[in-house]
Amino acid sequence: MNTHRVLSGIRATGRLHLGNYLGAVKGFLELQDNPTYQTLYMVADVHTLTTPYHIDELRKNRREVIIDYLAAGLDPKKSILFQQAEVNEHIELAFYFSSVTTIAKMQHLPTFKDKVKQYPEHATMALLNYPILMAADILVYKASLVPVGIDQEPHLEVAREIARRMNQDYGTDFPEPQRFATKGEYVPSLSGEGKMSKSVEGSFINLTDSLDEIRKKVRSVPTATVAGGEMTGGVKTLFTFLELCSPDQVASFKNEFEERTLKFVALKDAVTDAIYTMLKPLQEKRVKLVQDQAYIDNVICEGAEKARHIARKTVNEVKEKMGLE
Ligand code: TRP
């Protein structure tokens, strides 16, 4: 039992949105309920420092994401829920890992290049070190399974390389972590282009959006003027949401699309209802949760303690093997 560990995290750049829920958190939930795994889920608040951010927002969001996790059904009795910054061992291990990682390798990662393009004034060492810290997040718990989106695959490859190097050079026993793919690993943006992202205004639905807000956002998805033929990005997006939130309705709408009888507003309203029906229980749970802030403090404190306990053991072992003890 609990022979394998699972670790994942979401950056604290905002509250969770529908893309995080369908793409990541649903996978977290699935693994949490599988007794083969010990699951650890964190808020990657230290990773937030790798791109420009607001101090007050980070302070708020690193707590809000924990509350979103709880509202979504992550259970501190089953999973270790924690904030990355509370476990110093991640940062410590990342430094040791940086000694087996070349600068050239980090500079060539597509994720690094993209962020430098997005924030040319912020090509910092923290950004360059992003994948090393992520490798430390995972390997400090010797986690072998990581539920994340497909866009994170290059980072996991770095983690595997670091694990191999460390095992070869220092005789450690790090696993080579694999990605756990979820059904909603690619949740499209409401703009009909690219993926749903916190950093793109108008692309996302918040988990706390009201029915009216969801309706307004879904209605703004661009659609073709006539049904039938090739689907545009926006129409595909609507079908993806229906598939993820109410799969039983897909076939009949597809039929209408092909027979050119489909009214896009009917499809949009079905998508709106499907999303809202899915989110409503989370929203109700959240309202109750925030009434007991002491409970949340307690979850955060206990999660950090449990995580530290495992992490310290790994770091001590690494220090010893590297000649620092
Ligand atoms: N890089 C991940 C993302 O942007 C977030 C993250 C940080 C993470 N550390 C991690 C994910 C460790 C999984 C495991 O989605």
Side-chain angles (χ1 to χ4, degrees):
M1 286 291 117
N2 282 347
T3 44
H4 297 288
R5 285 205 186 107
V6 171
L7 178 288
S8 195
I10 296 178
R11 291 213 297 153
T13 40
R15 296 272 306 276
L16 294 195
H17 57 67
L18 189 63
N20 299 130
Y21 179 68
L22 295 170
V25 179
K26 276 198 135 184
F28 296 5
L29 287 164
E30 197 180 323
L31 292 166
Q32 161 179 272
D33 290 322
N34 183 332
T36 326
Y37 300 110
Q38 180 181 27
T39 45
L40 296 106
Y41 300 121
M42 63 171 198
V43 182
D45 48 6
V46 181
H47 271 109
T48 307
L49 274 46
T50 60
T51 46
Y53 73 100
H54 298 289
I55 297 167
D56 291 338
E57 279 175 28
L58 173 58
R59 195 171 282 130
K60 189 163 145 270
N61 288 332
R62 64 194 292 271
R63 183 180 180 89
E64 296 288 327
V65 174
I66 293 279
I67 303 172
D68 284 336
Y69 278 170
L70 292 169
L74 291 182
D75 179 352
K77 290 200 191 79
K78 297 182 188 164
S79 295
I80 301 179
L81 307 178
F82 69 103
Q83 297 160 320
Q84 186 187 24
E86 297 299 305
V87 187
N88 298 333
E89 282 78 3
H90 292 224
I91 295 167
E92 192 180 349
L93 188 61
F95 189 84
Y96 302 142
F97 282 178
S98 74
S99 73
V100 297
T101 316
T102 66
I103 300 168
K105 174 92 208 165
M106 295 296 98
Q107 281 173 328
H108 284 110
L109 281 181
T111 41
F112 176 72
K113 290 188 190 160
D114 287 351
K115 284 281 188 261
V116 171
K117 245 187 238 155
Q118 201 180 345
Y119 306 106
E121 312 281 298
H122 285 88
T124 62
M125 285 306 298
L127 186 63
L128 192 63
N129 278 314
Y130 188 115
I132 303 179
L133 180 59
M134 182 162 158
D137 296 336
I138 300 165
L139 296 175
V140 84
Y141 304 103
K142 298 189 181 172
S144 52
L145 202 59
V146 184
V148 277
I150 192 147
D151 60 311
Q152 296 297 308
E153 194 52 67
H155 291 154
L156 284 183
E157 188 51 40
V158 171
R160 288 190 285 268
E161 274 170 39
I162 290 177
R164 280 196 292 272
R165 259 254 97 84
M166 289 296 298
N167 295 348
Q168 251 169 42
D169 295 358
Y170 299 106
T172 48
D173 64 346
F174 289 116
E176 290 185 29
Q178 304 298 320
R179 194 172 73 88
F180 176 80
T182 56
K183 201 165 152 242
E185 67 179 359
Y186 190 84
V187 180
S189 158
L190 295 180
S191 68
E193 265 173 61
K195 78 166 197 171
M196 189 177 279
S197 162
K198 284 177 272 209
S199 46
V200 183
E201 206 40 59
S203 85
F204 58 89
I205 289 173
N206 283 312
L207 295 188
T208 47
D209 280 351
S210 66
L211 180 59
D212 285 344
E213 283 166 320
I214 297 170
R215 185 180 296 116
K216 201 166 151 233
K217 289 180 183 177
V218 172
R219 287 216 176 154
S220 74
V221 173
T223 45
T225 41
V226 286
E230 181 89 16
M231 278 191 197
T232 59
V235 179
K236 272 193 205 140
T237 299
L238 292 170
F239 274 106
T240 304
F241 282 120
L242 204 59
E243 182 73 54
L244 290 169
C245 307
S246 182
D248 295 348
Q249 288 182 279
V250 172
S252 70
F253 277 108
K254 275 243 162 93
N255 249 341
E256 288 185 23
F257 179 81
E258 265 139 38
E259 284 167 8
R260 297 174 189 261
T261 54
L262 177 66
K263 298 258 183 303
F264 287 117
V265 68
L267 173 61
K268 285 178 170 179
D269 286 349
V271 168
T272 300
D273 283 343
I275 293 174
Y276 184 67
T277 306
M278 194 181 70
L279 294 185
K280 196 162 170 255
L282 275 72
Q283 297 184 355
E284 287 170 355
K285 188 153 180 206
R286 200 176 206 287
V287 169
K288 281 203 199 107
L289 274 164
V290 294
Q291 286 165 2
D292 190 356
Q293 294 291 331
Y295 169 73
I296 294 159
D297 288 338
N298 196 42
V299 167
I300 290 173
C301 182
E302 282 189 357
E305 233 168 76
K306 288 183 200 158
R308 262 183 230 126
H309 182 76
I310 306 171
R312 194 65 238 163
K313 241 179 97 189
T314 307
V315 172
N316 284 344
E317 194 184 308
V318 167
K319 282 182 78 175
E320 198 270 321
K321 298 214 149 133
M322 291 183 92
L324 291 168
E325 230 171 68

